[in-house]
Amino acid sequence: MLFQRHYAGTAPCSPARACLYTGLYQMNNRVCRNGTPLDDRHDNIARAARRAGYDPTLFGYTDVAPDPRNHAPADPFLRTYEGVLPGFTTRQLLPEHQKAWLSWLAARGIDSSAGFPAVHRPAASDAPEVSNAVPAYSTDETPTAFLVGEFLRWLGEQDEGEPWFAHVSFLSPHPPFIVPEPFNTMYDPAEGPGYHRASTVDAEKAHHPFLAYHLEHHQNKSGFIPGAAGKVADWTEDEFRRIRALYYGMISEVDAQLGRMWKGIKDKGVWDDTIIILTSDHAEMMGDHFMLGKGGWFDGSYHIPLIIRAPGCAQAAGTKVDRFTSAVDIMPTLLDLIGGKALPHLDGQSLKPFLDNAVPDTWRDAAFWEYDFRSIAKGTAEAHFGLGSRALNLSVVRTETVKYVHFGAGLPPLLYDLANDPGETRNLADDPAWLSVRLESAERLLAWRARHLDQSLALSELTDAGAVGHLARLP
């Protein structure tokens, strides 16, 4: 079953994954940036799966900064945000430095002594910054292929009839934009849709103070192409299109490796008993609004894939759901499918009714997400805007036809007519003709935030008869 309107809870990686793993919106899990610790008091998908009798096993990464209150100050765990979600057994860790993959390549005779960028250096010395030159490794030697191989080896070790749970988390598609044959030339840069953006970078910056800041400070070429210099906004239309073609190729490379996974599961004889949830933490701007990466409020950063296949739900095969779903729905859905129990204070809802060809009596009629752009370590954003960290955030409510963006303080709101401006290029927040829509959207957003304030203890009460409500049902 394909969920066509599935949205991340926030961006970038760590905050988005906190929503995915805890079933809580950012306003409750409070993971604001890469490096914000995840409070250990929160339940998560791995711990809940353990309570249901599984040994959740990780291949890849989870990007979870540990709660520093549980570690000594000198603990190396506190030097990186690329920690492992508590509850997972780690079979093959593969964070962004990719060292396990690099050593695997070295064992296969591929020189990786100079590190990750050297492996990706184009073969032609005169190659442009954005190149489809063939890397030093083949399609059978990508980080994705390496991780799938480790999963299949582990799968072969699982005892017949015993339950298993794997979280296979690929870095790709992700910068640097390099992929082997045939994927490097699979897509024509000249093809594909036009970009959603203003006529010039300066016009885009004039759209909102946040965009001016983001395009100036967080769109550096070196963050996307090793060895490149200058701002992303300096790139030409042709370069953006070549990046997009490579990105599409990276998606297809992952798809090919997923096919290899599905074959391995079938060869094991457990395909008909296996739940598969295919999704992402966040999306990718890929040139819209002259941006790469993720952040802000545009759909391009938050509209993510979700496909679910579950035993006993054959009637769902090949069908599509057009309702708004969220990353926070994944944890309660998975627990519902494996016979576990989601705690009642979670912000997400189980999607199993859709898989059973039933529409829940009550379901959200809009998507909601958040984005926090504070900079605790360097204070860059705080200095630029002249605001405290607590003000540097935004919340979004998106219906079928309207999107409203509200900032914490000090920055103006945004309002878009998605029916006539799907590219989000015209801000109508100050248009008198749209004032009633703006007020209605603000009220909807306020009601959403009020309804989803932390309910972990608020759904309980101590009485003469003892604890009632949520507390009485804690595992």
Side-chain angles (χ1 to χ4, degrees):
M1 174 172 277
L2 171 65
F3 293 82
Q4 297 184 109
R5 291 185 174 180
H6 190 66
Y7 290 87
T10 184
C13 314
S14 284
R17 285 169 177 263
C19 294
L20 177 70
Y21 295 143
T22 66
L24 299 173
Y25 287 120
Q26 185 180 59
M27 61 181 287
N28 289 323
N29 67 50
R30 301 311 298 139
V31 177
C32 299
R33 305 297 298 157
N34 287 347
T36 304
L38 176 62
D39 192 325
D40 194 52
R41 71 184 174 94
H42 294 308
D43 194 22
N44 68 53
I45 204 165
R47 287 170 168 170
R50 287 193 173 278
R51 295 196 298 269
Y54 290 83
D55 178 18
T57 303
L58 173 67
F59 300 80
Y61 67 107
T62 61
D63 273 356
V64 172
D67 191 331
R69 296 169 297 187
N70 297 339
H71 298 266
D75 192 330
F77 274 148
L78 303 184
R79 299 175 191 167
T80 176
Y81 73 85
E82 293 187 284
V84 175
L85 183 73
F88 272 117
T89 294
T90 304
R91 174 59 179 252
Q92 181 58 67
L93 185 65
L94 197 66
E96 197 164 349
H97 60 59
Q98 307 275 276
K99 288 182 179 179
W101 170 63
L102 291 171
S103 64
W104 179 74
L105 286 181
R108 297 170 70 89
I110 297 175
D111 181 19
S112 60
S113 59
F116 189 84
V119 175
H120 293 81
R121 187 171 295 136
S125 60
D126 59 348
E129 290 179 348
V130 183
S131 171
N132 63 3
V134 178
Y137 51 89
S138 72
T139 188
D140 297 323
E141 297 169 324
T142 64
T144 309
F146 165 69
L147 214 54
V148 169
E150 294 302 298
F151 163 76
L152 292 176
R153 188 157 64 92
W154 171 84
L155 181 64
E157 300 167 6
Q158 304 311 301
D159 294 330
E160 184 176 353
E162 290 297 311
W164 53 266
F165 180 126
H167 177 26
V168 187
S169 181
F170 304 121
L171 180 65
S172 191
H174 190 279
F177 302 121
I178 306 290
V179 68
E181 295 177 325
F183 305 104
N184 62 326
T185 58
M186 183 173 284
Y187 297 92
D188 185 348
E191 297 180 353
Y195 289 105
H196 298 305
R197 57 169 64 142
S199 57
T200 66
V201 175
D202 286 341
E204 195 71 56
K205 289 181 179 179
H207 187 83
H208 192 273
F210 172 84
L211 284 182
Y213 168 76
H214 190 75
L215 286 167
E216 186 67 28
H217 292 84
H218 293 282
Q219 295 288 291
N220 191 293
K221 280 188 175 183
S222 62
F224 300 95
I225 302 293
K231 300 289 185 182
V232 169
D234 295 334
W235 287 347
T236 65
E237 179 81 2
D238 178 65
E239 288 175 313
F240 271 120
R241 284 186 169 272
R242 280 191 276 135
I243 289 173
R244 186 170 66 179
L246 287 169
Y247 193 80
Y248 288 169
M250 296 175 82
I251 293 173
S252 291
E253 188 269 327
V254 171
D255 283 349
Q257 291 300 326
L258 289 174
R260 184 177 162 215
M261 283 183 64
W262 309 157
K263 183 179 184 302
I265 295 171
K266 291 176 180 178
D267 291 346
K268 178 74 172 176
V270 295
W271 177 257
D272 292 335
D273 301 317
T274 300
I275 299 164
I276 298 174
I277 298 179
L278 175 63
T279 190
S280 179
D281 47 4
H282 53 72
E284 163 64 52
M285 290 299 295
M286 201 40 55
D288 280 351
H289 303 278
F290 298 98
M291 292 167 60
L292 296 177
K294 57 277 180 182
W297 57 85
F298 296 116
D299 275 19
S301 284
Y302 301 94
H303 190 192
I304 57 177
L306 176 62
I307 301 173
I308 300 178
R309 179 193 181 276
C313 300
Q315 68 280 358
T319 62
K320 301 175 181 179
V321 172
D322 203 33
R323 306 296 289 270
F324 288 107
T325 59
S326 170
V328 297
D329 297 331
I330 299 302
M331 180 174 173
T333 299
L334 183 58
L335 292 179
D336 203 355
L337 291 172
I338 66 176
K341 189 174 183 180
L343 299 178
H345 71 282
L346 298 188
D347 293 319
Q349 300 170 257
S350 173
L351 302 174
K352 189 173 184 301
F354 292 108
L355 295 166
D356 293 332
N357 271 356
V359 178
D361 293 335
T362 58
W363 196 262
R364 64 179 73 92
D365 59 359
F368 303 91
W369 64 80
E370 304 159 274
Y371 181 68
D372 197 303
F373 48 102
R374 69 185 66 193
S375 177
I376 296 298
K378 298 180 179 180
T380 308
E382 289 83 346
H384 177 87
F385 292 106
L387 296 168
S389 297
R390 295 190 181 200
L392 298 178
N393 57 76
L394 61 88
S395 299
V396 176
V397 55
R398 186 217 193 276
T399 68
E400 290 188 29
T401 58
V402 172
K403 174 184 281 187
Y404 175 70
V405 185
H406 191 89
F407 288 81
L411 294 173
L414 295 143
L415 181 70
Y416 299 102
D417 173 12
L418 299 179
N420 297 297
D421 178 28
E424 305 173 60
T425 60
R426 298 186 299 274
N427 178 20
L428 303 174
D430 293 328
D431 188 331
W434 284 81
L435 178 59
S436 62
V437 177
R438 171 179 165 178
L439 293 176
E440 179 185 342
S441 298
E443 289 177 358
R444 181 194 287 259
L445 185 59
L446 181 61
W448 167 76
R449 291 187 66 87
R451 187 168 63 251
H452 287 280
L453 289 169
D454 183 3
Q455 302 293 320
S456 53
L457 292 179
L459 290 172
S460 303
E461 187 175 348
L462 301 184
T463 71
D464 291 344
V468 297
H470 176 197
L471 269 179
R473 302 194 299 273
L474 285 176

